[in-house]
């Protein structure tokens, strides 16, 4: 299984630095140090690999956070703050998020995955905010503001440091 994970982790790095067109078997082989045979052992070609990579992106950049906040013995505000901290402490570059969004512009499978991820993230934020006492409309609006704030920060240069984003998120929530 380590081989499969290596392929997927390397794919996210390549995606973040070279974009979706940079995802080639040659680049993946060079990045992982594994063989082409290993690639085909784990994936049924590039379409299967790209589908697995989108699933891995969703797992690493959404689902694992949700598991952590659900497992935490915290009140709703504590879970919301934990979620913000987990996202902002993630050492994965924002360029991966940007690259997946760019990929989604031209690929219906990537678009469907990105839409699912966005809906999941916004739904969790909305639910946490309603659990904190926000009215449904206010929870929806605040969830969108927080989400767009974090996403937008990944699209500016120089990048916004996590400490600054944390302050801005707290400002929105105050």
């Amino acid at each position: 299984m380590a081989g499969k994970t290596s392929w997927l982790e390397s794919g996210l790095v390549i995606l973040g630095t070279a974009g979706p067109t940079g995802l080639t078997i040659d680049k993946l082989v060079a990045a992982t140090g594994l063989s082409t045979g290993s690639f085909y052992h784990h994936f049924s070609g590039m379409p299967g690999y790209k589908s697995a990579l989108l699933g891995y992106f969703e797992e690493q950049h959404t689902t694992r956070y949700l598991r952590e906040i659900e497992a935490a013995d915290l009140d709703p505000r504590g879970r919301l703050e934990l979620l913000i901290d987990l996202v902002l402490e993630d050492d994965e570059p924002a360029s991966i998020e940007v690259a997946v969004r760019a990929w989604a512009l031209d690929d219906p499978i990537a678009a469907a995955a990105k839409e699912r991820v966005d809906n999941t993230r916004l739904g969790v934020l909305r639910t946490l905010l309603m659990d904190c006492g926000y009215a449904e409309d206010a929870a929806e609006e605040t969830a969108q503001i927080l989400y767009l704030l974090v996403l937008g920060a990944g699209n500016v240069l120089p990048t916004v440091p996590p400490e600054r984003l944390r302050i801005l998120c707290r400002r929105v929530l105050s």
Side-chain angles (χ1 to χ4, degrees):
M1 198 54 138
K4 186 173 186 175
T5 301
S6 295
W7 289 111
L8 296 170
E9 287 174 358
S10 293
L12 286 183
V13 171
I14 291 169
L15 182 64
T17 57
T21 58
L23 290 172
T24 65
I25 294 174
D26 289 341
K27 285 186 182 176
L28 288 162
V29 166
T32 61
L34 299 171
S35 69
T36 303
S38 170
F39 177 86
Y40 285 104
H41 171 75
H42 293 291
F43 309 101
S44 58
M46 281 308 284
Y49 174 76
K50 288 180 176 182
S51 180
L53 184 62
L54 288 165
Y56 188 71
F57 166 79
E58 184 173 2
E59 164 60 31
Q60 294 300 302
H61 293 269
T62 301
T63 309
R64 75 179 170 102
Y65 299 140
L66 303 184
R67 277 195 309 270
E68 288 188 48
I69 64 167
E70 287 170 6
D73 185 25
L74 298 168
D75 64 9
R77 179 63 182 228
R79 287 195 318 273
L80 179 59
E81 289 178 5
L82 175 61
L83 178 61
I84 291 168
D85 286 342
L86 290 170
V87 169
L88 296 180
E89 288 171 1
D90 194 340
D91 60 354
E92 290 281 344
S95 59
I96 293 172
E97 186 78 34
V98 173
V100 172
R101 289 188 182 284
W103 187 7
L105 295 174
D106 296 323
D107 184 307
I109 294 170
K114 196 65 198 118
E115 185 175 347
R116 184 176 56 253
V117 165
D118 287 341
N119 288 337
T120 298
R121 292 170 177 175
L122 283 166
V124 167
L125 281 170
R126 182 177 49 252
T127 299
L128 285 171
L129 289 162
M130 288 180 7
D131 290 348
C132 288
Y134 284 68
E136 188 173 346
D137 288 349
E140 178 72 31
E141 292 167 358
T142 305
Q144 287 179 342
I145 291 167
L146 287 169
Y147 193 56
L148 295 172
L149 171 65
V150 173
L151 287 179
N155 286 283
V156 296
L157 293 174
T159 58
V160 180
E163 306 79 37
R164 181 71 179 147
L165 273 175
R166 194 170 282 107
I167 290 167
L168 295 173
C169 287
R170 286 193 179 117
R171 169 70 63 95
V172 169
L173 293 170
S174 64

